[in-house]
Amino acid sequence: MDLVYVAERKIYGRLGMRPSSTQQGVQAAVKIPPLIEVSGSRTWEGATEPMAPHALVEKAKRTIERRFAPVPFTTRNLQANQWISFDLDMAQAAVHEDSGRPPEDVALFVGQVPAGTAGQPRDLGLMLCGSVQHLRTQACAQGRMGSDTTWLHDLILEVERREASGLNVVPEFLNDIMPHRRSEVLIEDAAFGVQGWIERKYPPSTRGRLRGHAIVLVDIDRPRWVSRLVLATPLYVEAVHEQGPRPRRRITLPGIRRRANTS
């Protein structure tokens, strides 16, 4: 398992697990062709025997499946705060607010499944949004988030801030998190704008297969949009290595010989 993103505070807070207390670190590095170079160095403050990220994620997986019954992100009519699982090819980017300057502070993972997949009547996009502080990735695309996306940028960081302070519930309406932004149209426009930009900039050939669990922020499924988009905040993201096809073995049955060509 190669971890690309691990939100330790979210895992501890959501699953009711106690974080560790002594400062210790775990380091790892592995390359995932063609896009992602994974490396990590994390420190926790907590109990005397801190749990390494891989062990933490494995325990989180078991707990999530046992207690929360996550559904595939392709499930229709997802609700805010609902647990989902994902496993698909995704592009990755670290971005900063459009009018701001680096360093990048928001991590995005974007993937899409075409209409007809898993019974989807139209194209379905998934965009995972989190903080770059949880990335275990050093080599990934970087840049501006895009025009008119300040609301989305601030929302992502506010969700992270709430969870860092122990508030682990996503309200039914995202406007409750950002009360000064009251337009649902603005929310949807910003989300679709960022998703479309990443989809265009990073074609399928540059993506890697990623999987994990996440919490739904909003399921944008309105008639005004050509496609549907699920916005979610990930607990963890791991890379899946595809095994190449095995070479065919020629099987020769005993007593059978190839007939010579006498013509």
Side-chain angles (χ1 to χ4, degrees):
M1 173 177 62
D2 296 326
L3 295 175
V4 178
Y5 181 100
V6 184
E8 292 99 333
R9 287 183 182 272
K10 191 189 303 293
I11 290 176
Y12 286 126
R14 286 278 180 171
L15 304 184
M17 298 164 52
R18 289 187 177 181
S20 0
S21 71
T22 341
Q23 289 190 355
Q24 293 191 20
V26 176
Q27 294 185 345
V30 62
K31 289 187 177 180
I32 307 171
L35 183 65
I36 303 171
E37 178 182 328
V38 174
S39 65
S41 177
R42 290 291 184 271
T43 302
W44 299 270
E45 296 181 359
T48 52
E49 296 184 0
M51 188 176 294
H54 288 75
L56 176 63
V57 169
E58 288 301 322
K59 184 174 182 179
K61 288 181 186 179
R62 296 190 296 270
T63 304
I64 292 168
E65 293 294 338
R66 184 178 71 251
R67 291 174 51 192
F68 299 104
V71 298
F73 78 94
T74 53
T75 304
R76 298 294 302 275
N77 300 317
L78 294 171
Q79 302 299 311
N81 222 52
Q82 190 168 357
W83 291 78
I84 57 172
S85 60
F86 59 91
D87 185 342
L88 75 164
D89 290 341
M90 304 190 81
Q92 178 184 352
V95 297
H96 61 271
E97 197 267 331
D98 184 60
S99 60
R101 295 182 178 180
E104 284 68 21
D105 51 6
V106 165
L108 299 174
F109 301 90
V110 172
Q112 189 172 34
V113 294
T117 304
Q120 298 299 314
R122 50 186 177 156
D123 292 348
L124 166 63
L126 173 66
M127 185 160 67
L128 306 176
C129 313
S131 168
V132 294
Q133 294 181 355
H134 306 316
L135 281 175
R136 304 181 65 80
T137 302
Q138 301 238 327
C140 64
Q142 298 179 347
R144 296 186 302 114
M145 198 168 189
S147 301
D148 300 321
T149 57
T150 300
W151 184 92
L152 181 60
H153 172 272
D154 293 348
L155 169 70
I156 295 168
L157 295 185
E158 180 61 16
V159 169
E160 293 290 329
R161 188 200 66 76
R162 286 162 57 94
E163 291 177 342
S165 65
L167 191 55
N168 297 295
V169 176
V170 177
E172 181 180 358
F173 300 104
L174 294 183
N175 286 332
D176 294 340
I177 300 179
M178 305 288 290
H180 59 286
R181 298 283 187 174
R182 289 292 181 184
S183 171
E184 289 188 6
V185 174
L186 181 63
I187 297 172
E188 297 177 1
D189 285 348
F192 270 103
V194 173
Q195 184 241 3
W197 162 67
I198 295 179
E199 286 283 354
R200 292 188 299 272
K201 189 169 184 179
Y202 305 105
S205 60
T206 66
R207 304 178 189 183
R209 181 180 163 198
L210 303 177
R211 68 185 175 195
H213 286 96
I215 301 292
V216 174
L217 294 175
V218 61
D219 182 354
I220 306 174
D221 190 11
R222 311 277 193 271
R224 66 185 288 258
W225 291 107
V226 176
S227 59
R228 174 187 168 206
L229 177 62
V230 174
L231 225 62
T233 176
L235 278 77
Y236 69 91
V237 179
E238 62 180 353
V240 181
H241 296 289
E242 303 282 359
Q243 294 184 349
R246 296 181 178 179
R248 285 188 174 183
R249 295 177 57 188
R250 179 175 293 176
I251 301 176
T252 304
L253 299 178
I256 298 180
R257 295 182 179 177
R258 189 175 292 178
R259 184 176 297 177
N261 188 356
T262 57
S263 58

